[in-house]
Amino acid sequence: MSAAETLATARQVLAAVGYADDAIASGYPVWLGRGNGVAAVEFVAFGRSAPRDMSTALVAVTSDALDRARQVAETIATPYFMVASGNGLDLWVAGGEQPWIPTVGLADVDRLRAWLRPAVALRAKVGLRQLPLFDLPVNFLAAARSRSAEQLAPIVGEALEAATDALVPTNVDAKPGQGKRYRHSRAALLVVGALTTLVIRDRGMVQAAGMEDLIDAVARQHPSSFNWFEKSSRRERAILVELVSQLGSGIDYQSLDPSILSHVYEQALVNEDDRKRLGIHYTPPRLAAQLLNGLPVELVAPENRHVLDPACGSGTLLVAAHDRLRDLQPVGWTEEDRHRDLAVHLQGFDIDPFAVEIARLTLLLHAQPAGNGWRIISEDTLQQPAPSPPPHIIVSNPPWEFSSGGKRSQKADQFMTWSMRTLAPGGLLGILLPGSWMTADSSASVREELLETFEVFEMWRLPEGTFPTSGVSTTAVLARRRGGLSGRGARVVREVDLPGLPEFLTSGIAKVTYVLPGGSGTPLAQDVH
């Protein structure tokens, strides 16, 4: 059998187990990391028609050598991969030391449907179902995201440094206020613009002959992501062209999960002094997804499922909220219907304008093909009045900023107070806080207000290391504001240690789970012992 015939068989097998034509990409480019180039994979099958990136990639089919095929599978986190050769088509499970089914063909389709069909393979990808014969690590997708982010972050960091240096003003054009911090901010904005341009280009969403034409086309097509572009100087536009060339050299962004951009943002674009001073800690995507899964969104009427993140950062919790709401939408809706509904029901604020740009880009790419129009605004939430109508769902990872001048305080207290008073009656709150919030004397009044006005139905005590950039433990509070949905149910407490964290983030199962009485008579501080 020729290689072409073997690949044709692979395509037939994928179609037979349930992959529609729009869920299979031919000649799919996978960036294998710095120094390893881009692999053109013959076929990749996805769990959904969009987005077609590592978050939904399920089966890779290649005629490369086994080591290269395994590298492709690990890079885009496909739980299965097929290796085609003149001897036939071998089906492998990620992590296996030998083929699961050698010389697989159409005769194996009935057997394969139980494992390879899209819905089932997606569950295996995120660790909710064990693969046949071989164990797939529960952090398989997270590890792939982390590897790609670690490869991309230093490249972006180098580009940011070069752009900052290029913005050093001459004696002629120097202006007041254009110091190092200002140049870093402008350079970060240009880097985000370059990344936006390249990801949109590589996903085939726009085409242009030259770099300048490409940037202009992307800016016209996505004005909300380029609202700064019209006011940029000639010098900044020249730097942007150079950044697109630099960041696009030897890299293809098509397969990258948009959540990687949040990781890159924290590693490469946030000034380290600012990150420590403001308590900025990137929310791991699986923790964000688990927090949204823990909120009973189904109990909120569909028209009231307005989700707000008042400290959205680079948008990880908004992406998780997007997916949570999308999964509850009617089956018969078109992609345009889905997007229009989600764009109305998701909103984010953040004081950092560059985090906001990353959040817009992340949602833009995550929600393709109809990804425009997100209401993500750069503003100081604590200085703003509550939005109208009030949201029924608030999720947040507020800044973990501590102040010890005079009276010790936590910035998280201010966000908790704002969120509690902003939520509509019956609204749901899911918030991530430093573990010290549970016992700090300075937070006692906020805890009392929480117990007086909310039913706290679930709490998670998460270990040090939950956030890669923070050495403190984490508490998650899931609560419902009284006045809408009734009931004073018991409070579930989940305690998770560091070895059990990957399983909890995948399945929500904690090694230690216990129930406390509900109602305002059970102080939160008793939960910590």
Side-chain angles (χ1 to χ4, degrees):
M1 181 182 293
S2 68
E5 291 173 325
T6 303
L7 290 172
T9 299
R11 186 68 181 252
Q12 291 173 334
V13 169
L14 291 173
V17 298
Y19 292 92
D21 287 344
D22 62 357
I24 300 176
S26 304
Y28 189 80
V30 176
W31 180 55
L32 299 176
R34 202 169 199 170
N36 293 317
V38 176
V41 184
E42 277 83 352
F43 301 117
V44 177
F46 299 88
R48 291 189 291 269
S49 59
R52 298 200 301 189
D53 57 34
M54 67 168 60
S55 67
T56 58
L58 299 178
V59 187
V61 182
T62 177
S63 56
D64 283 333
L66 177 59
D67 287 346
R68 181 83 162 182
R70 195 185 300 277
Q71 187 180 14
V72 166
E74 290 176 351
T75 299
I76 55 174
T78 54
Y80 301 97
F81 64 97
M82 298 181 186
V83 181
S85 67
N87 297 323
L89 182 70
D90 295 337
L91 174 62
W92 292 75
V93 172
E97 297 299 324
Q98 57 186 4
W100 176 35
I101 304 178
T103 60
V104 66
L106 291 173
D108 301 295
V109 165
D110 288 342
R111 176 185 178 186
L112 294 177
R113 281 198 187 100
W115 297 100
L116 261 67
R117 69 181 187 273
V120 175
L122 272 174
R123 289 175 60 81
K125 183 183 181 81
V126 298
L128 296 179
R129 185 174 186 184
Q130 184 176 336
L131 293 177
L133 302 181
F134 309 105
D135 290 333
L136 187 71
V138 294
N139 60 347
F140 184 57
L141 177 56
R145 286 168 168 156
S146 179
R147 280 193 298 268
S148 294
E150 288 168 2
Q151 292 280 349
L152 186 59
I155 296 172
V156 173
E158 291 163 10
L160 175 63
E161 184 177 356
T164 304
D165 291 343
L167 285 170
V168 173
T170 65
N171 291 332
V172 176
D173 62 6
K175 296 179 181 178
Q178 290 191 350
K180 184 177 180 180
R181 185 180 294 275
Y182 172 83
R183 296 197 308 272
H184 178 276
S185 298
R186 294 301 295 178
L189 187 59
L190 293 172
V191 169
V192 172
L195 288 171
T196 305
T197 301
L198 289 165
V199 177
I200 289 173
R201 179 200 69 180
D202 290 347
R203 294 200 173 195
M205 295 155 58
V206 68
Q207 294 181 345
M211 290 293 185
E212 293 186 23
D213 290 341
L214 173 65
I215 294 168
D216 288 338
V218 172
R220 287 194 304 271
Q221 190 177 95
H222 302 282
S224 64
S225 296
F226 279 80
N227 53 12
W228 52 271
F229 186 65
E230 288 298 322
K231 295 181 180 180
S232 60
S233 67
R234 181 179 300 177
R235 188 178 191 186
E236 288 175 332
R237 292 193 180 206
I239 294 171
L240 178 58
V241 171
E242 180 59 31
L243 285 171
V244 172
S245 177
Q246 180 180 349
L247 290 170
S249 179
I251 304 176
D252 193 293
Y253 292 84
Q254 184 170 344
S255 68
L256 295 184
D257 182 344
S259 66
I260 289 172
L261 297 173
S262 297
H263 196 170
V264 171
Y265 158 78
E266 176 162 298
Q267 286 196 355
L269 296 181
V270 176
N271 180 284
E272 182 65 14
D273 292 337
D274 287 345
R275 187 186 68 77
K276 292 180 178 179
R277 178 173 57 86
L278 299 175
I280 300 171
H281 298 291
Y282 158 78
T283 307
R286 290 190 300 157
L287 177 57
Q290 198 59 246
L291 186 69
L292 267 296
N293 288 337
L295 292 174
V297 176
E298 295 86 347
L299 299 181
V300 179
E303 65 274 13
N304 290 334
R305 290 173 187 164
H306 293 279
V307 180
L308 170 65
D309 184 346
C312 68
S314 51
T316 307
L317 281 166
L318 288 175
V319 169
H322 172 282
D323 291 352
R324 183 78 164 94
L325 296 185
R326 181 198 61 202
D327 291 344
L328 295 176
Q329 290 176 325
V331 175
W333 278 11
T334 65
E335 287 298 328
E336 187 61 37
D337 291 335
R338 293 180 186 280
H339 172 67
R340 190 163 43 244
D341 178 71
L342 289 166
V344 169
H345 285 92
L346 291 175
Q347 189 170 13
F349 304 149
D350 201 276
I351 197 170
D352 183 347
F354 312 110
V356 165
E357 296 294 342
I358 288 288
R360 288 174 180 161
L361 173 58
T362 300
L363 274 171
L364 168 71
L365 300 175
H366 186 73
Q368 288 303 315
N372 283 313
W374 300 107
R375 296 184 301 157
I376 306 174
I377 304 167
S378 177
E379 64 180 29
D380 185 349
T381 299
L382 300 178
Q383 301 300 318
Q384 301 299 318
S388 180
H392 282 69
I393 304 168
I394 288 181
V395 291
S396 188
N397 171 23
W400 292 12
E401 179 185 346
F402 297 86
S403 173
S404 55
K407 183 179 179 181
R408 182 173 174 80
S409 64
Q410 296 192 45
K411 195 66 169 284
D413 285 333
Q414 299 175 51
F415 276 89
M416 274 291 289
T417 300
W418 188 92
S419 298
M420 289 189 295
R421 297 174 184 178
T422 298
L423 263 175
L428 301 173
L429 174 67
I431 192 164
L432 300 169
L433 301 162
S436 60
W437 183 85
M438 291 294 299
T439 54
D441 291 341
S442 60
S443 302
S445 62
V446 182
R447 293 194 300 269
E448 290 173 5
E449 182 175 348
L450 176 67
L451 288 173
E452 288 172 0
T453 57
F454 279 74
E455 296 291 342
V456 179
F457 56 84
E458 194 155 325
M459 296 183 62
W460 305 341
R461 297 174 56 196
L462 305 176
E464 298 175 5
T466 298
F467 287 82
T469 56
S470 172
V472 304
S473 60
T474 303
T475 292
V477 176
L478 289 76
R480 180 176 59 226
R481 184 174 178 178
R482 297 195 183 105
L485 302 171
S486 61
R488 291 175 176 262
R491 184 180 312 154
V492 177
V493 180
R494 306 188 192 277
E495 295 185 356
V496 182
D497 59 13
L498 194 56
L501 185 61
E503 181 180 3
F504 173 76
L505 294 180
T506 298
S507 65
I509 297 173
K511 291 184 178 179
V512 177
T513 300
Y514 52 93
V515 179
L516 293 173
S520 58
T522 306
L524 290 176
Q526 290 187 358
D527 292 350
V528 180
H529 51 265

